[in-house]
Amino acid sequence: MSNSKLKFMKNSKAAGEYDVLILGSGAGGKLIAWTLGKKGMKVAVVERKYIGGACPNIACLPSKNVIQSAKVASYFFRSAEFGITKDNTRIDMAAVRERKRRMVTGLVDLHLDLYKKSGAELIMGSGRFTAPKTIEVTSADGQKRVVRGKKVVINTGSHATIDSTPGLAEAKPLTHIEALELDRIPEHLLLVGGGYVGLEFAQAMRRFGSRVTVIERNSRLLSREDEDISIAMHELLKDEGIEVITGARINRVEGQSGNWVKLYANHDGSEITLQGTDIMVAAGRTPNTNGIGLDVAGVQLTKNGYIKVNDRLETTAPDVWAAGDCAGSPQFTHISENDFLIIHDNILGGQRVTTGRQVPFCMFTDPEFARIGLNETEAKEKGIAYRVAKIPMAAILRTRTISEPRGFLKALVDANSDRILGFTILGAEGGEIMPTVQVAMLAGIPYTTLRDAIFAHPTMHEGLNALFGAVPAKT
Ligand SMILES: Cc1cc2nc3c(=O)[nH]c(=O)nc-3n(C[C@H](O)[C@H](O)[C@H](O)COP(=O)(O)OP(=O)(O)OC[C@H]3O[C@@H](n4cnc5c(N)ncnc54)[C@H](O)[C@@H]3O)c2cc1C
């Protein structure tokens, strides 16, 4: 960084005056803080509750921790298949929760250490703009403090949407936050939402022993994916004993979660009722942009309530950026982390943009579902001519050694060149296989390289030889 840029950052001496002030300690915000703090800038992050944001406390990492416990449970219940006998298997949800809590505590300590080492200040309290680039922080004990930044980054994240369906809020539904804190197994969980958060929880809870009913408003699960994925996922969940009801619109809710709950829904032109003991909502996210004074800060919102940003993640207020879920970025931790790179460079005078970036994702059901690049539905919508190859996971010999033959792999290759357009996998270790194709796409490597590459045997990656070997010839 040039000396002149560092100088403007270093001359804010007044108390409560920072070179860079960040509201919310999500993935993007904390990385900006640590990186600029290490460069000697005066940086502060205002965080109301979760040190390190949602990912390590209430979202990605604790959910995968609990999912892993559920996988161990499923192995126990399948143990005879592997030639291992068992007696008296019992799920202790309090111990499952304890394992998760231990991990979260460790992660919070790790974060505190990184704050300390970077020199970035962590201010615990709820922040609200009172003027442009000026935030009033109210701590848990009600004390107030005003802080100001020459540059400001908003990284306040999102929360689970609880819509206005009559009776839903009164039913006190579980969201992922409460579900991750359960020390009991719900007898019958009604899970509203067939997206990735809902399906990960549905499978985990089923594996712990709950009866689970998933209620999805779209006509199929994972409605943005190709139909073969939706069908395969539906089958997979059904095989585990999960009831899935698609195309259902909930009209009203009665009862209270943890006791009994009744849902009334329109389904196929008639009203159905579903009764369970618990209800969980995983039906979309609402950005944390309400009631934080964005109007007085000159920060405008989109019609859906996200912070309006350009491709440099600049808001409508000068020297104010937004990162992660609240900025309408694709709602993944790795995208918020990429937002950090963009904002970091732009704060320092660079020109980095979000346009054209890859958005990989992985859903941690078992088996996993992962995708990078285009699926068939999107290629058709965009009028992009493609060749498609698809093989079953069972074609990979490794899946037979681990008894995980379910699912398939699919690749889209440009119709007129050897460029890889997209890769989808529903299969064991899908999230670990996808990055190989992703890197090939980033590097512009033709599909034939993966087709002909020598992968160690017997690994899942051998499937890429077979998959790309099945790409039809150009016509
Ligand atoms: C159950 C679940 C599982 C998920 N699993 C994955 C996954 O496997 N992989 C993945 O990539 N993504 C996953 N996600 C999505 C991912 O968690 C989010 O996209 C990511 O955490 C968003 O990060 P962020 O930077 O936008 O902010 P967040 O991490 O949401 O952090 C925002 C922070 O701002 C704080 N804050 C908000 N308002 C204020 C205020 N006024 N004052 C002070 N502080 C404030 C909040 O307390 C919070 O700590 C999952 C989400 C959920 C719900």
Side-chain angles (χ1 to χ4, degrees), residues 108-128:
V108 169
D109 289 347
L110 198 78
H111 279 78
L112 289 173
D113 197 42
L114 286 165
Y115 274 105
K116 208 167 141 194
K117 284 190 177 133
S118 69
E121 188 181 341
L122 176 63
I123 303 172
M124 290 307 291
S126 193
R128 187 177 62 90

Side-chain angles (χ1 to χ4, degrees), residues 63-73 99:
S63 63
K64 277 29 149 198
N65 181 291
V66 170
I67 285 168
Q68 188 63 19
S69 289
K71 185 168 171 102
V72 172
R99 173 175 174 268

Side-chain angles (χ1 to χ4, degrees), residues 39-325:
K39 288 188 165 132
M41 296 179 198
K42 192 177 175 196
V43 183
V45 180
V46 178
E47 169 56 50
R48 65 181 171 198
K49 186 165 185 187
Y50 298 116
I51 296 169
C55 168
N57 287 283
I58 51 165
C60 325
L61 296 171
S63 63
K64 277 29 149 198
N65 181 291
V66 170
I67 285 168
Q68 188 63 19
S69 289
K71 185 168 171 102
V72 172
S74 91
Y75 272 140
F76 258 99
F77 293 120
R78 291 176 61 193
S79 70
E81 190 184 330
F82 295 88
I84 297 159
T85 49
K86 58 157 192 330
D87 299 306
N88 302 326
T89 304
R90 190 177 69 85
I91 310 279
D92 178 352
M93 277 307 280
V96 169
R97 183 180 67 175
E98 198 42 45
R99 173 175 174 268
K100 181 221 66 170
R101 284 183 174 176
R102 273 198 308 276
M103 183 197 73
V104 172
T105 304
L107 291 170
V108 169
D109 289 347
L110 198 78
H111 279 78
L112 289 173
D113 197 42
L114 286 165
Y115 274 105
K116 208 167 141 194
K117 284 190 177 133
S118 69
E121 188 181 341
L122 176 63
I123 303 172
M124 290 307 291
S126 193
R128 187 177 62 90
F129 286 93
T130 50
K133 299 196 280 183
T134 306
I135 295 174
E136 181 187 71
V137 186
T138 309
S139 61
D141 61 7
Q143 292 205 32
K144 292 194 190 301
R145 168 179 175 186
V146 174
V147 282
R148 202 171 178 283
K150 286 176 179 296
K151 313 256 175 196
V152 171
V153 180
I154 307 167
N155 182 214
T156 48
S158 64
H159 61 272
T161 304
I162 297 180
D163 67 27
S164 56
T165 303
L168 180 59
E170 292 76 7
K172 298 200 168 40
L174 303 167
T175 68
H176 57 103
I177 299 178
E178 296 79 22
L180 286 168
E181 276 293 296
L182 284 176
D183 61 356
R184 62 182 176 87
I185 300 163
E187 194 179 317
H188 183 180
L189 178 64
L190 303 175
L191 213 157
V192 181
Y196 80 89
V197 172
L199 298 187
E200 286 181 1
F201 271 100
Q203 189 182 42
M205 288 302 166
R206 176 70 194 138
R207 288 177 164 193
F208 288 134
S210 290
R211 180 176 162 197
V212 177
T213 306
V214 173
I215 303 110
E216 164 59 43
R217 70 171 85 97
N218 289 302
S219 59
R220 57 187 177 88
L221 297 175
L222 303 173
S223 56
R224 271 178 272 172
E225 299 307 321
D226 289 344
E227 203 167 350
D228 50 5
I229 286 289
S230 299
I231 292 170
M233 185 56 69
H234 199 130
E235 284 303 311
L236 199 127
L237 297 177
K238 240 173 61 187
D239 286 350
E240 294 216 15
I242 297 167
E243 195 183 353
V244 179
I245 301 172
T246 53
R249 295 245 151 212
I250 300 169
N251 299 325
R252 67 195 163 94
V253 180
E254 285 176 0
Q256 209 168 83
S257 188
N259 190 8
W260 66 271
V261 201
K262 204 166 179 180
L263 299 187
Y264 297 81
N266 281 343
H267 184 246
D268 279 346
S270 55
E271 187 172 76
I272 55 166
T273 58
L274 297 164
Q275 190 160 333
T277 54
D278 296 77
I279 179 170
M280 175 173 170
V281 281
R285 309 282 304 167
T286 301
N288 295 330
T289 53
N290 211 355
I292 54 169
L294 291 178
D295 47 347
V296 294
V299 174
Q300 290 174 16
L301 299 180
T302 67
K303 65 178 183 337
N304 294 325
Y306 291 93
I307 294 171
K308 201 185 264 182
V309 289
N310 61 16
D311 63 358
R312 292 162 46 87
L313 297 173
E314 290 163 331
T315 71
T316 48
D319 286 333
V320 181
W321 285 261
D325 287 10

